[in-house]
Amino acid sequence: MADAAGSSMVTAEEHLAWILDRVPALAPRSLPVGEAHGLTLAGDANACHDLPLWDNSAMDGYALRAADVAAAGPASPIALRVLGEVASGSAEDPQIGPGEAVRIMTGAPVPADADAVVPVEHTRGDRADDPWAVERVEVIRRADPGANIRIRGEDTAAGAVLARAGDLLTANRVAALAAAGEAAVLVRPRPRVAVVATGSELQPAGAPLRRGQIPESNSMLVAGLLAECGVAAEAVQVHGDDTDAFARVLAELASQVDAIITTGGVGPGRHDIVRIAVEAEPEVRAVRVAVKPGQPQCTGRLAGGAWIFALPGNPVSAAVSFELFVRPALLRMQGRGEVQRMRLPAVAASSWRGSAGRLQVLPVRIDREPGGLVCRPSVNPRGVSHAVGGSGAANGYALVGPERGDVAAGDPVDVIVLEP
Ligand SMILES: Nc1nc2c(c(=O)[nH]1)N[C@H]1C(S)=C(S)[C@@H](COP(=O)(O)OP(=O)(O)OC[C@H]3O[C@@H](n4cnc5c(N)ncnc54)[C@H](O)[C@@H]3O)O[C@H]1N2
Ligand code: MOO
């Protein structure tokens, strides 16, 4: 281990940069586009063909020659002979002469002889009980050339870049790639992650508690935070403060997963078994980060292969550490270009005590108000790290830089929103 626990203090930015410089990108693989939602592209993806593929109708109506209906109006209908129909999926390209039209449906290819589509609402049919004409249609509104025709390639040209390496494949992106003819995409997989909560005081939720015991909640916290960033935990374990047993668990998991997230046991205490277990690991750093909460961190690559993110046991400290360091690292393993959440400007609705010299990451309730976003602490800022109860009501974090001190009501603060 590079430093003895707590022997050096680094900024949150420096610790994140240290992590992002080192975490490996997982090997890419090709997947059918329909299985790639939520993954990250490992190479640029281009349109295989124009979108739309051919000039097609934007309306259910009649394809015709615009010049034929230039003088049409409600009081001066123009009658056209109906030749037939081009339905969606039809490969027909019927010839249309002057004074002629074909019924056409939305999305169907516009016949080469037509230069406009008139919606059925702007026509009168030749039967009393049906708006659609069979043989003869009266057009009661003029149409300009090009009206209601979606031009081949006007959305995206063949060969255009639709998404780049590092982009998340959102539902919209997957749809764009499929629509543009991509059958398979090169993506990086989600990391395999194990969660290990440590502490001899921990009991299953709902179990009877004697003095000194508490319900275990961090494993659910971390597994849930993983799920919220698209990763299903492969293993979730809870262990007591037995250094040897923990070292064995770590050694076993290190060759099975890409990352191990532990909580608890990173302080300088006599039973802080995680810190003790990773002390001899040359590529794991133990640092104190200038952040509140989330100060003690042991992070790096274990000799067995996996990365370890040993987070403090205090529940809010663990949650903040996950947000600041683990989430970006897991996204970078997937090759994601942007690994940080968007920071939005908000206004503090109340004053709170700051933490000059450390980045304050405060669980807050963020609300929309007519003037913009406002936020108020959801925990007592006096003691944030253990405030698991109050933090449950938070929907984001306020980020107050180390150069700032206390926050006054009305002050601007940056927030990140955690709810989708
Ligand atoms: N002498 C010092 N003491 C402490 C320091 C320090 O610098 N010097 N740092 C404090 C800070 S800051 C933090 S954060 C904690 C980090 O402690 P650990 O990572 O060793 O965490 P634990 O001692 O195991 O637990 C802390 C706290 O959290 C509760 N906890 C732990 N695991 C869970 C769980 N799975 N579910 C729910 N709650 C859990 C635990 O009961 C403790 O109350 O150290 C400070 N001390
Ligand atoms: O720095 Mo510890 O993680 O706050 O309480």
Side-chain angles (χ1 to χ4, degrees):
M1 189 161 58
D3 301 292
S7 67
S8 62
M9 176 76 97
V10 298
T11 65
E13 290 76 22
E14 197 274 331
H15 190 51
L16 178 61
W18 187 91
I19 293 169
L20 296 181
D21 277 351
R22 288 165 178 77
V23 285
L26 301 172
R29 61 172 79 136
S30 180
L31 274 189
V33 68
E35 296 172 23
H37 177 240
L39 297 173
T40 301
L41 267 183
D44 293 355
N46 302 76
C48 302
H49 53 65
D50 287 331
L51 281 174
L53 280 150
W54 2 261
D55 294 358
N56 72 94
S57 178
M59 294 284 193
D60 297 330
Y62 295 86
L64 44 71
R65 292 162 175 257
D68 282 354
V69 296
S76 53
I78 289 176
L80 302 174
R81 193 161 73 88
V82 178
L83 300 179
E85 182 168 307
V86 186
S88 302
S90 168
E92 300 284 307
D93 185 6
Q95 289 187 340
I96 300 174
E100 295 176 340
V102 295
R103 292 186 300 273
I104 191 164
M105 302 305 139
T106 303
V110 173
D113 291 339
D115 64 355
V117 170
V118 172
V120 65
E121 295 89 332
H122 296 172
T123 68
R124 282 197 286 259
D126 51 8
R127 286 171 300 162
D129 57 348
D130 190 339
W132 287 97
V134 178
E135 292 176 348
R136 184 176 174 279
V137 63
E138 284 186 351
V139 177
I140 57 173
R141 289 263 188 95
R142 56 170 281 122
D144 292 325
N148 299 311
I149 295 178
R150 309 189 287 207
I151 307 291
R152 171 180 180 160
E154 75 174 17
D155 169 11
T156 301
V161 177
L162 280 174
R164 296 195 180 279
D167 284 345
L168 168 67
L169 286 172
T170 60
N172 285 335
R173 279 216 173 95
V174 168
L177 295 173
E182 288 275 10
V185 282
L186 196 63
V187 290
R188 294 187 197 276
R190 295 182 174 91
R192 297 161 300 163
V193 182
V195 180
V196 183
T198 68
S200 294
E201 72 280 29
L202 306 175
Q203 297 297 313
L209 304 170
R210 64 158 171 72
R211 182 177 167 81
Q213 294 180 328
I214 61 165
E216 197 285 312
S217 58
N218 281 351
S219 65
M220 285 167 241
L221 169 79
V222 175
L225 292 173
L226 284 169
E228 288 174 12
C229 63
V231 175
E234 297 221 343
V236 180
Q237 305 178 7
V238 181
H239 292 281
D241 292 328
D242 177 334
T243 311
D244 293 339
F246 178 75
R248 283 195 296 277
V249 168
L250 216 53
E252 196 178 321
L253 288 172
S255 60
Q256 294 172 357
V257 296
D258 300 302
I260 303 167
I261 304 170
T262 66
T263 68
V266 292
R270 291 181 53 230
H271 303 287
D272 284 331
I273 59 159
V274 178
R275 177 183 48 78
I276 294 165
V278 297
E279 237 159 20
E281 291 280 351
E283 293 180 55
V284 176
R285 69 167 0 189
V287 283
R288 289 190 305 133
V289 182
V291 61
K292 186 180 166 77
Q295 191 169 263
Q297 303 284 332
C298 296
T299 317
R301 186 183 169 281
L302 295 168
W307 265 64
I308 185 164
F309 298 90
L311 313 182
N314 280 316
V316 181
S317 309
V320 166
S321 308
F322 186 97
E323 176 60 32
L324 294 184
F325 308 122
V326 183
R327 182 177 179 277
L330 297 179
L331 296 181
R332 186 52 57 82
M333 284 181 177
Q334 296 168 73
R336 192 76 55 80
E338 181 55 69
V339 298
Q340 306 237 40
R341 271 190 232 269
M342 209 175 276
R343 295 184 177 191
L344 302 171
V347 168
S350 61
S351 56
W352 68 75
R353 200 169 116 183
S355 60
R358 290 162 75 180
L359 170 67
Q360 185 180 37
V361 185
L362 186 68
V364 287
R365 178 77 218 167
I366 302 164
D367 290 304
R368 276 180 281 234
E369 291 198 353
L373 300 179
V374 298
C375 65
R376 41 181 65 77
S378 73
V379 298
N380 182 345
R382 243 198 90 249
V384 173
S385 61
H386 67 96
V388 60
S391 73
N395 62 349
Y397 291 119
L399 302 170
V400 184
E403 73 289 354
R404 290 176 62 172
D406 294 345
V407 173
D411 279 358
V413 278
D414 280 355
V415 294
I416 51 179
V417 179
L418 298 176
E419 282 174 354

